[in-house]
């Protein structure tokens, strides 16, 4: 029985898995260490894409589960990515009809803004609740992420049309 | 997969509830160790993702060593042999010193443990978050690794095991903001505590009183106090010592001894042979009869 909710779901899992691996791949030791602050947030980008593209398959609860796995893999306390992924998912889910209509570069700007808010929340969580300081370079991450959005979008759209 | 929430429940309510859940989890997991068993069990399940991330580099390394010229390898082997000979020669002197030291200590009525059992582990990844300093190594619970275990490399103390899953362990580095280690200044034997700063090549010391004899260039080694780290491993070298007039304490910064930027292989230190799984091959460092 081909359940429309299940069909093609593996491509979503695989893309999220690859995004996690991409986050974990270490930079070469010769690269300046600060470059780590500029690496795009691949998992959030892939999550946003799937919610915009197939909101009936990926939603807020899925984003929460994803955040728990991300916390385990990245080594942050449980719930650190939870808040941001849930907020991103809720934003994407409530506005996918409008966002889909926009040009890719306009989507990039929106995503940069959303990720900026989320970075702020993450910074507050770390500094206020765990007493850890951070580098303000962290606020460059949303911008590099937004620059990579068009490529993520095109690759995942190709995958969706092919497999989903 | 069955939906966790009914489809008709309002996504905004879902989001609100899950945000709260996240915050609560974050506070619990960030401030206490209550969720550590859950992390350990679930961490073993997601290990394959970490291995997946390591795969490209592994393949690249294998490929490179395959194409590496034979002459070059022979040259490297030659280098290694020479190094090994010099080290052996140095070891001879070390052993003489050791026996002398032990004799002197026997006169004083105390004994010191000089050699340690170590397990060699390969570093398979470093933290993707630059504010958290940890390294993933390829040994885990199966190899007898335990939380709190001291980790060293050829040049000094690296850190300690913070989390361990079946085949992987997370090693918290000495430079992490949450890390502190009790040390001893070799020149004056004064006790200090070295803390991580969140900067990859700086450590700091708080509450260094003005009367304490400490100079730039002083070597700090683990003191063994607190029973977590074995004593005698180099931790850092004092790099800056500043006394502001009127300040209660001097500001001291130190440079870590170990090569934290280019970690490749590390050694996990075991206190005694008892807490080991028998099938794990261990090496002894220091003279055998220590």
């Amino acid at each position: 029985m081909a359940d429309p909710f299940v069909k093609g779901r593996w491509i979503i899992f695989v893309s999220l898995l690859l995004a996690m691996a991409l986050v974990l791949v270490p930079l070469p030791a010769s690269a300046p260490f600060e470059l780590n602050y500029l690496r795009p947030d691949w998992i959030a980008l892939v999550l946003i894409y799937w919610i915009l593209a197939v909101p009936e398959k990926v939603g807020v609860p899925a984003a929460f589960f994803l955040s728990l796995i991300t916390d385990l893999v990245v080594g942050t306390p449980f719930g650190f990515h939870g808040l941001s992924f849930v907020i991103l998912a809720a934003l994407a889910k409530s506005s996918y009809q409008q966002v889909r209509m926009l040009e890719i570069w306009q989507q990039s700007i929106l995503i940069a803004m959303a990720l900026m808010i989320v970075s702020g929340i993450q910074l507050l969580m770390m500094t206020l609740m765990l007493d850890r300081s951070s580098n303000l370079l962290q606020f460059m991450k949303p911008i590099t992420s937004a620059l990579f959005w068009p490529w993520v979008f095109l690759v995942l759209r190709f995958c969706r049309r092919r497999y989903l | 997969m069955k939906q966790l929430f009914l489809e008709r429940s309002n996504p905004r309510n879902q989001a609100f509830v899950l945000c709260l859940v996240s915050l609560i989890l974050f506070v619990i997991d960030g401030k206490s160790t209550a969720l550590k068993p859950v992390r350990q069990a679930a961490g073993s399940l997601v290990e394959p993702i970490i291995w997946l991330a390591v795969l490209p580099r592994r393949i690249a390394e294998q490929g490179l060593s395959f194409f590496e010229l034979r002459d070059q390898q022979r040259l490297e082997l030659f280098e290694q042999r020479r190094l090994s000979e010099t080290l052996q020669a140095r070891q001879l002197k070390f052993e003489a010193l050791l026996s002398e030291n032990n004799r002197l200590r026997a006169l004083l009525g105390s004994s010191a443990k000089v050699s340690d059992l170590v397990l060699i582990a390969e570093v398979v990844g470093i933290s993707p978050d630059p504010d958290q300093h940890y390294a993933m190594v390829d040994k885990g619970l199966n190899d007898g690794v335990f939380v709190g275990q001291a980790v060293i490399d050829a040049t000094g103390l690296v850190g300690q095991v913070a989390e361990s899953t079946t085949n992987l362990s997370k090693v918290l580095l000495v430079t992490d903001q949450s890390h502190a280690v009790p040390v001893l200044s070799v020149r004056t034997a004064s006790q200090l505590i070295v803390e991580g700063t969140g900067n990859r090549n700086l450590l700091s010391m708080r509450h260094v009183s003005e009367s304490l004899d400490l100079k730039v260039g002083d070597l700090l080694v683990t003191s063994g106090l607190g029973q977590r780290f074995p004593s005698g491993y180099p931790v850092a070298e004092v790099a800056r010592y500043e006394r502001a007039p009127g300040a209660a304490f001097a500001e001291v910064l130190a440079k870590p001894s170990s090569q934290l930027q280019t970690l490749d292989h590390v050694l996990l230190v075991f206190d005694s042979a008892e807490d080991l799984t028998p099938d794990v091959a261990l090496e002894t460092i220091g003279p055998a009869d220590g």
Side-chain angles (χ1 to χ4, degrees):
Chain A
M1 191 179 78
D3 185 337
F5 277 109
V6 174
K7 178 183 165 281
R9 196 170 242 184
W10 63 269
I11 185 68
I12 301 178
F13 282 119
V14 169
S15 60
L16 287 169
L17 212 66
L18 286 179
M20 276 183 202
L22 215 50
V23 164
L24 288 178
V25 168
L27 289 178
S30 52
F33 178 69
E34 278 71 27
L35 218 58
N36 274 307
Y37 284 106
L38 306 183
R39 295 173 69 174
D41 196 344
W42 300 107
I43 307 176
L45 289 180
V46 174
L47 174 73
I48 292 172
Y49 175 81
W50 288 119
I51 295 177
L52 292 178
V54 281
E56 70 281 1
K57 283 197 168 103
V58 185
V60 175
F64 181 69
F65 277 123
L66 180 69
S67 81
L68 293 182
I69 298 172
T70 308
D71 284 331
L72 271 178
V73 168
V74 176
T76 42
F78 277 135
F80 179 65
H81 288 91
L83 202 60
S84 37
F85 283 9
V86 167
I87 291 173
L88 287 176
L91 284 176
K93 192 135 182 171
S94 60
S95 63
Y96 68 91
Q97 280 152 327
Q98 290 94 316
V99 178
R100 275 183 194 168
M101 292 297 122
L102 299 173
E103 300 280 341
I104 297 185
W105 64 270
Q106 290 171 318
Q107 292 179 353
S108 283
I109 294 172
L110 274 184
I111 283 171
M113 279 163 30
L115 288 177
M116 205 66 102
I117 296 168
V118 158
S119 297
I121 294 172
Q122 287 186 338
L123 188 71
L124 281 180
M125 284 169 89
M126 272 300 178
T127 49
L128 293 184
M129 290 156 110
L130 292 192
D131 254 343
R132 298 179 72 103
S133 66
S134 180
N135 195 319
L136 286 180
L137 259 180
Q138 188 177 307
F139 283 104
M140 287 301 288
K141 210 170 195 157
I143 293 167
T144 43
S145 302
L147 290 178
F148 277 93
W149 168 253
W151 316 112
V152 172
F153 180 86
L154 292 174
V155 168
L156 289 178
R157 187 174 66 179
F158 172 79
C159 293
R160 177 174 61 86
R161 290 187 174 158
R162 184 89 194 262
Y163 302 108
L164 206 68
Chain B
M1 203 170 88
K2 211 163 152 23
Q3 295 275 315
L4 180 68
F5 293 90
L6 290 177
E7 201 50 29
R8 53 177 188 282
S9 74
N10 184 346
R12 215 158 272 177
N13 288 345
Q14 278 179 6
F16 183 69
V17 169
L18 289 174
C19 279
L20 271 182
V21 172
S22 301
L23 271 179
I24 293 167
L25 272 178
F26 182 71
V27 174
I28 296 175
D29 200 21
K31 295 259 182 198
S32 79
T33 53
L35 291 176
K36 287 281 177 253
V38 182
R39 282 194 83 97
Q40 188 174 311
S44 296
L45 291 178
V46 299
E47 260 182 17
I49 304 177
I50 295 167
W51 289 115
L52 183 71
V54 178
L55 204 62
R57 209 190 63 173
R58 284 255 162 125
I59 292 173
E61 273 170 9
Q62 296 284 319
L64 278 180
S65 68
F66 183 76
F67 288 115
E68 208 170 90
L69 292 171
R70 212 172 139 175
D71 285 349
Q72 202 179 332
Q73 281 185 346
R74 197 172 287 166
L75 209 70
E76 254 170 43
L77 187 66
F78 184 67
E79 272 304 299
Q80 293 293 330
R81 279 211 186 118
R82 230 180 42 184
L83 183 67
S84 151
E85 266 164 33
T86 14
L87 286 176
Q88 264 170 17
R90 226 196 269 174
Q91 176 87 349
L92 289 175
K93 198 163 182 190
F94 181 57
E95 252 160 83
L97 281 172
L98 171 76
S99 61
E100 185 185 329
N101 191 12
N102 273 352
R103 245 180 297 131
L104 290 171
R105 275 183 181 278
L107 288 177
L108 291 168
S110 68
S111 69
K113 197 167 150 289
V114 177
S115 69
D116 283 305
L117 289 167
V118 294
L119 176 66
I120 298 178
E122 193 189 339
V123 175
V124 294
I126 58 157
S127 161
D129 178 357
D131 290 326
Q132 302 203 50
H133 295 191
Y134 68 81
M136 298 299 291
V137 299
D138 68 343
K139 294 286 185 294
L141 296 170
N142 277 357
D143 308 282
V145 176
F146 54 91
V147 172
Q149 188 168 18
V151 181
I152 58 173
D153 73 356
T155 48
L157 187 75
V158 170
Q160 58 180 304
V161 175
E163 252 172 58
S164 198
T165 56
T166 319
N167 292 310
L168 284 172
S169 294
K170 182 174 138 183
V171 175
L172 194 68
L173 306 182
V174 282
T175 51
D176 188 88
Q177 292 172 42
S178 63
H179 197 278
V181 46
V183 295
L184 191 77
S185 158
V186 172
R187 189 171 58 87
T188 59
S190 42
Q191 305 278 354
L192 293 156
I193 289 182
V194 168
E195 293 175 345
T197 55
N199 182 323
R200 286 270 153 167
N201 34 36
L202 274 188
L203 296 164
S204 74
M205 269 162 278
R206 273 196 275 179
H207 311 308
V208 178
S209 77
E210 284 197 38
S211 58
L212 195 81
D213 182 12
L214 202 64
K215 280 197 296 198
V216 171
D218 277 1
L219 181 68
L220 305 166
V221 300
T222 48
S223 64
L225 290 183
Q227 317 253 305
R228 175 142 291 193
F229 298 102
S231 60
Y233 290 111
V235 178
E237 196 175 277
V238 177
R240 219 180 76 182
Y241 182 87
E242 248 169 55
R243 249 187 233 177
F249 299 108
E251 194 200 327
V252 188
L253 293 174
K255 198 182 152 302
S257 307
S258 54
Q259 307 293 314
L260 295 176
Q261 271 98 339
T262 50
L263 277 182
D264 193 7
H265 285 86
V266 293
L267 308 170
L268 299 153
V269 184
F270 290 88
D271 305 330
S272 61
E274 284 137 46
D275 43 40
L276 293 180
T277 37
D279 52 334
V280 179
L282 288 164
E283 327 261 325
T284 313
I285 52 170
D289 59 343

